[in-house]
Amino acid sequence: MKTSGLGIDSSRIQAMMEQLKAHAAKPQASVPAIQTEQPAAKVQFSDALKDALDAVSASQSKAEALGKRFQMGDDSVSLSDVMVSMQKSSINFQATIQVRNKLVSAYHDIMNMQV
């Protein structure tokens, strides 16, 4: 497995890409069992990417909110909850950075192709 400087291997990037594909396929799964002749609505890549980025942002906001509640002395929030939430947020962000790096690399590869 190839490991980048941030410590995330390519299998995690592949797993995130699979999650993006699964997320993109969700609206198609909600089509009723009775099929009409109209094709299913296509999901735009930009919409799937925006939804994934929104999910990362939401996990970061949740981690920050839990951290603030813990700092303010909220007894319903434990330190372990805060740490787990922060780690999930960090992993989500790092995976997003790796996907971005792969997309930029693919863009450069395409731009450097000779026609």
Side-chain angles (χ1 to χ4, degrees):
M1 284 188 269
K2 184 178 177 184
T3 304
S4 70
L6 293 176
I8 295 180
D9 59 44
S10 60
S11 65
R12 289 190 185 196
I13 295 170
Q14 191 68 12
M16 183 160 184
M17 293 301 292
E18 292 299 323
Q19 287 178 349
L20 282 171
K21 288 177 186 176
H23 183 71
K26 279 184 183 179
Q28 294 175 355
S30 65
V31 174
I34 301 173
Q35 293 291 329
T36 62
E37 292 184 19
Q38 297 175 349
K42 292 184 180 180
V43 176
Q44 297 293 321
F45 175 76
S46 60
D47 294 337
L49 186 60
K50 183 183 181 317
D51 290 344
L53 291 175
D54 288 343
V56 171
S57 177
S59 73
Q60 289 179 331
S61 297
K62 178 183 174 188
E64 184 179 346
L66 278 175
K68 284 183 181 178
R69 285 176 51 198
F70 181 77
Q71 290 174 354
M72 298 299 285
D74 188 344
D75 293 334
S76 66
V77 179
S78 69
L79 179 59
S80 61
D81 291 339
V82 173
M83 295 306 294
V84 167
S85 181
M86 292 176 86
Q87 285 299 314
K88 284 181 181 180
S89 173
S90 175
I91 289 169
N92 287 338
F93 182 72
Q94 289 176 7
T96 301
I97 295 297
Q98 292 301 315
V99 169
R100 182 212 53 171
N101 291 345
K102 286 288 186 179
L103 288 171
V104 169
S105 175
Y107 174 77
H108 285 296
D109 290 345
I110 290 170
M111 293 304 291
N112 290 331
M113 285 183 182
Q114 293 187 6
V115 182

